[in-house]
Amino acid sequence: MRTEFETATENAALKKAIVARIQSQGPIPFRDFMDAALYHPQHGYYRSRREKMGREGDYLTSPEVSAAFGVILARQLHEMWLAMGRPLRFDIVEAGAGTGLLCRDILRWTRDHAPDFHSALAYAIVEVSEPLMERQRDVLAEEGCDVRWSAELPDGIEGCLMSNELLDSFPVHAVCVRGGELTEVFVDWDGSRFVDELHPPSTPEIERYFGRLGLRPGEGCRAEVNLEAPEWMRNAGRSLRRGFVLTLDYGYEAEELYAPWRADGTLLCFYRHNPSADPYARLGRQDITSHVDFTTLRRAGEEAGLQTLGLVSQSEFLTNLGIAEALAPPAEGNVNLEEYYARRRTVSELLDPAALGRIRVLLQTKGVDAPRLTGLEGPRNA
């Protein structure tokens, strides 16, 4: 017989822990609920060993779609190394490396196509999830890759600090404008389910956040405020001694993210590739995400000494760096048409403006004079 907290598709221990907290201290900010749902030390979604990424998991990221993604990023990293004057050591620090496939594909390409660059590489992964770290170690051990792991950003990075779909998984404050007043969504337990309540903001930082932007969500609109993403970017800027910060994520500039027509915000949940707007369903079994405010993110990097080079869509970024080569018809002769069409399908997924292609790519730099990067501008002979 199930207890009052158990269902077939949720973590009963996690639900019990959150309910006990609410019963002890009263309604909690949605940000705290999301943090527990994703990162609870024992029961959170990202602490579990169930498959999360890939076609057998809950959602796809670009490295799971095609190795071409890693090849293209490797080309851009190689160009960064050249722009820095071919240093004897080039750090690649990947924050939140997922299944390890991106690291694997980058190191494969550099080994086979840019051996001088490969010899200069010092690859490090920043990861807080033990199950994901184990998965990364297994994937990379098969390749004989020399990679270091840490839970925090290292200091003195000279090279590139990159993240792919990391910041949109940070816990967010949910807010709502009612009668011209900014309120925050808190989570309560009514004895049988989690329910929303509106209260004054739990921290003055939320009001300051919109004050710095000079805007607010529209009347009656719900929205998300990610206070941890800009702090992460400031830490990134401080950790980078010289080189680049490459950030790929779902998001918009602030004026579009908080536009008055966006009534319901961008919060989405994913379970076995099915999207949902209900963060209280499948507790501990589904991913919860929201779009990044690239205006605030860019400014946070600039406050920490970074210079913004550009912000483009992933579709533009990959196209500029030559991913269309994978779409070209094969030459006559020994042609494997099945392999060719499979490659076309996966590359098309990466470029799809309604899906992965709409991910935004933010490039920032420190200590590198006027670098021209093909990912932002296209080939020099274009």
Side-chain angles (χ1 to χ4, degrees), residues 41-157:
Q42 288 81 44
H43 311 301
Y45 176 79
Y46 281 107
R47 309 295 189 184
S48 73
R49 298 186 180 278
R50 68 186 299 273
E51 199 71 41
K52 304 170 189 68
M53 304 170 199
R55 300 194 188 277
E56 302 303 315
D58 296 316
Y59 58 92
L60 278 174
T61 64
S62 298
E64 281 79 44
V65 169
S66 172
F69 182 73
V71 168
I72 293 300
L73 259 63
R75 289 180 180 178
Q76 185 63 92
L77 292 164
H78 181 242
E79 192 175 49
M80 292 173 179
W81 177 66
L82 296 176
M84 291 177 65
R86 301 172 182 255
L88 296 178
R89 174 183 170 119
F90 184 92
D91 296 314
I92 299 178
V93 178
E94 185 181 356
T99 57
L101 292 178
L102 178 57
C103 174
R104 182 201 68 182
D105 295 336
I106 288 172
L107 292 177
R108 276 184 180 177
W109 184 88
T110 59
R111 180 193 62 208
D112 296 341
H113 299 279
D116 290 347
F117 178 42
H118 184 81
S119 297
L121 291 182
Y123 209 112
I125 289 175
V126 180
E127 185 59 71
V128 298
S129 168
E130 188 66 33
L132 284 176
M133 191 183 303
E134 290 178 10
R135 175 76 178 275
Q136 294 156 11
R137 291 184 189 278
D138 290 344
V139 167
L140 297 173
E142 296 173 3
E143 298 292 316
C145 298
D146 183 15
V147 176
R148 295 175 292 113
W149 276 264
S150 68
E152 303 288 342
L153 291 179
D155 291 327
I157 298 168

Side-chain angles (χ1 to χ4, degrees), residues 322-331 335-337 339-341 343-344 347:
I323 201 170
E325 297 168 11
L327 300 174
V335 176
N336 186 330
L337 287 178
E339 179 182 331
Y340 165 66
Y341 285 115
R343 186 171 68 245
R344 280 187 64 96
V347 170

